[in-house]
Amino acid sequence: MKILVTGTAGFIGFHLAKRLLERGEEVIGVDDLNDYYSVKLKKDRNEILQKNPNYKFHKIDVADYEKLKEVFSDDIDCVVNLAAQAGVRYSLKNPHVYEKSNNKGFLNILELCKKFEIKNIVYASSSSVYGESTEIPFKEDQKLDKPISLYAATKKSNELIAYTYHHLYNLNLIGLRFFTVYGEWGRPDMALYKFVKNIVKGKPIDVYNNGDMKRDFTYISDIIDGVVAAIDNPMEYEVINLGRGEPQDLMYFIKCIEKALGKKAMKNMMGMQPGDVPLTYADTTKAEKLLDYNPKISIEEGVKRFVEWFKQYYKVN
Ligand SMILES: NC(=O)c1ccc[n+]([C@@H]2O[C@H](COP(=O)([O-])OP(=O)(O)OC[C@H]3O[C@@H](n4cnc5c(N)ncnc54)[C@H](O)[C@@H]3O)[C@@H](O)[C@H]2O)c1
């Protein structure tokens, strides 16, 4: 297969491209390598992919329609859109980049798929679309029209526009609602990375909502299993949760990190952050049924693997 993946220098895109290349697929990678977080980390991921001759990389902003058009061709079997401005908190600081990358970028992808008659599209949505829903576990058929951050609003709008393009142009669109993905090569703006970095340096960690939070942390290889299954099983229009289905207390998560590092954290207890939610909890029944999804990696094992990677990458003893 020839698969175009956007966001391949990013955390999830890197792991997806790596898995697809290992399976022998041809991957066209697109990323603008922006400096939202360490460009070195993005380049290091991308260099690993570039060792494989079946990987062709293009440094392009998905919001640039004309440039993006150049990498499209009618022999592409599937497009996976993972490029986006991620992060809930940053969407309060820099709203315009969310409009550009998440809304305009996604519309460009859909328009080009239509133009080049590429029928199968998989795209990243997010657990953040559930906002402050108290109907737990979160099921895909909940009515969701109250996003509490601009990030969540752009992801929900992707799902709506995806439906429109399915309806009008018969494109097959699967939206995957990822739940707090973590693992090796993870994102520096996310809790696991920030906590490990600060604990290693002997600095305090910021614990939001005084630690009274639960997250459905999902290990990267489980997420990639789900994304690959979505590529392999085109569906007309679906939105599917990819989580672990086992929300963990933030304080237990910190304990796992302390155990893996063999070092105690100094905690700076803080209030709730605007746009943030106290709980995420995926109902994974639909993913199990449609994608044969079966998350395997426990939080203890996943955190241990991340810590091992972090120590090796940053040469920490
Ligand atoms: N990691 C998670 O827990 C999580 C949870 C829910 C949803 N998601 C979604 O999954 C996708 C991948 O997330 P990630 O964690 O790998 O984030 P990431 O930031 O590591 O990866 C996104 C990549 O897209 C690139 N990018 C951003 N804007 C771009 C643009 N305009 N043009 C081209 N490239 C652009 C970035 O440079 C980055 O390398 C995103 O859509 C994100 O919103 C992630």
Side-chain angles (χ1 to χ4, degrees):
M1 280 204 275
K2 189 169 178 177
I3 303 166
L4 190 154
V5 182
T6 69
T8 47
F11 170 40
I12 301 175
F14 160 70
H15 283 280
L16 175 66
K18 193 162 163 288
R19 175 84 69 88
L20 293 171
L21 290 165
E22 282 163 4
R23 208 172 80 160
E25 316 294 1
E26 227 180 292
V27 176
I28 305 167
V30 168
D31 201 296
D32 69 351
L33 298 170
N34 69 62
D35 65 358
Y36 167 62
Y37 63 74
S38 165
V39 176
K40 182 180 181 314
L41 181 63
K42 291 183 182 180
K43 286 188 173 165
D44 286 348
R45 292 180 185 128
N46 204 35
E47 263 172 34
I48 294 174
L49 301 176
Q50 280 175 313
K51 286 188 183 130
N52 191 313
N54 282 338
Y55 179 68
K56 301 274 177 302
F57 178 70
H58 303 269
K59 184 178 180 298
I60 291 175
D61 181 345
V62 291
D64 184 338
Y65 180 84
E66 291 304 325
K67 282 245 172 69
L68 190 60
K69 193 163 86 179
E70 288 167 22
V71 303
F72 269 74
S73 56
D74 54 15
D75 61 345
I76 292 171
D77 299 289
C78 180
V79 172
V80 184
N81 186 46
L82 301 173
Q85 179 56 54
V88 165
R89 291 176 200 111
Y90 188 62
S91 67
L92 280 83
K93 275 196 210 150
N94 190 354
H96 295 288
V97 70
Y98 288 77
E99 170 62 21
K100 175 185 80 93
S101 298
N102 304 11
N103 287 345
K104 189 169 181 207
F106 188 56
L107 184 64
N108 286 345
I109 298 280
L110 295 179
E111 272 296 310
L112 287 165
C113 287
K114 181 184 99 187
K115 187 176 172 64
F116 287 87
E117 294 180 10
I118 302 164
K119 210 172 154 58
N120 298 325
I121 305 152
V122 176
Y123 64 96
S125 183
S126 164
S127 61
S128 64
V129 300
Y130 289 102
E132 291 177 308
S133 169
T134 50
E135 284 172 54
I136 52 168
F138 298 157
K139 268 187 98 133
E140 293 86 345
D141 56 8
Q142 282 186 32
K143 180 170 176 276
L144 300 171
D145 54 11
K146 292 191 172 69
I148 63 160
S149 69
L150 182 65
Y151 170 67
T154 63
K155 290 292 175 183
K156 183 66 203 167
S157 101
N158 286 175
E159 294 180 359
L160 296 172
I161 292 170
Y163 183 79
T164 309
Y165 272 69
H166 162 66
H167 173 79
L168 290 175
Y169 309 115
N170 210 20
L171 300 178
N172 292 329
L173 282 137
I174 303 179
L176 300 172
R177 291 178 177 165
F178 299 141
F179 282 68
T180 318
V181 189
Y182 74 100
E184 303 90 286
W185 296 97
R187 260 169 47 202
D189 62 326
M190 292 183 71
L192 179 57
Y193 195 113
K194 291 199 284 188
F195 287 174
V196 170
K197 184 176 160 205
N198 280 16
I199 297 170
V200 163
K201 286 187 173 169
K203 287 187 176 169
I205 59 170
D206 288 343
V207 182
Y208 297 135
N209 206 29
N210 293 307
D212 188 13
M213 295 240 248
K214 277 178 186 258
R215 282 287 177 278
D216 200 348
F217 294 102
T218 314
Y219 187 67
I220 184 68
S221 61
D222 289 325
I223 289 287
I224 299 302
D225 289 347
V227 182
V228 170
I231 295 170
D232 289 343
N233 296 282
M235 293 165 218
E236 290 190 356
Y237 175 85
E238 296 293 346
V239 170
I240 305 172
N241 287 340
L242 286 186
R244 176 152 171 83
E246 274 179 27
Q248 299 286 344
D249 279 316
L250 180 57
M251 298 312 277
Y252 180 68
F253 185 61
I254 295 170
K255 280 213 174 79
C256 292
I257 299 172
E258 291 176 328
K259 190 167 171 221
L261 277 172
K263 195 172 172 188
K264 284 269 170 216
M266 284 188 286
K267 301 181 199 85
N268 183 17
M269 305 309 267
M270 295 179 67
M272 190 69 172
Q273 302 296 297
D276 223 347
V277 295
L279 165 73
T280 63
Y281 183 177
D283 183 318
T284 56
T285 316
K286 190 172 176 184
E288 285 157 32
K289 200 169 137 223
L290 297 181
L291 302 174
D292 206 11
Y293 176 71
N294 170 29
K296 297 177 186 72
I297 307 297
S298 69
I299 191 86
E300 296 83 2
E301 175 62 24
V303 166
K304 200 172 106 210
R305 289 187 195 183
F306 174 82
V307 166
E308 277 163 16
W309 167 80
F310 187 95
K311 283 178 161 176
Q312 199 190 7
Y313 184 69
Y314 290 105
K315 301 184 178 63
V316 178
N317 292 322

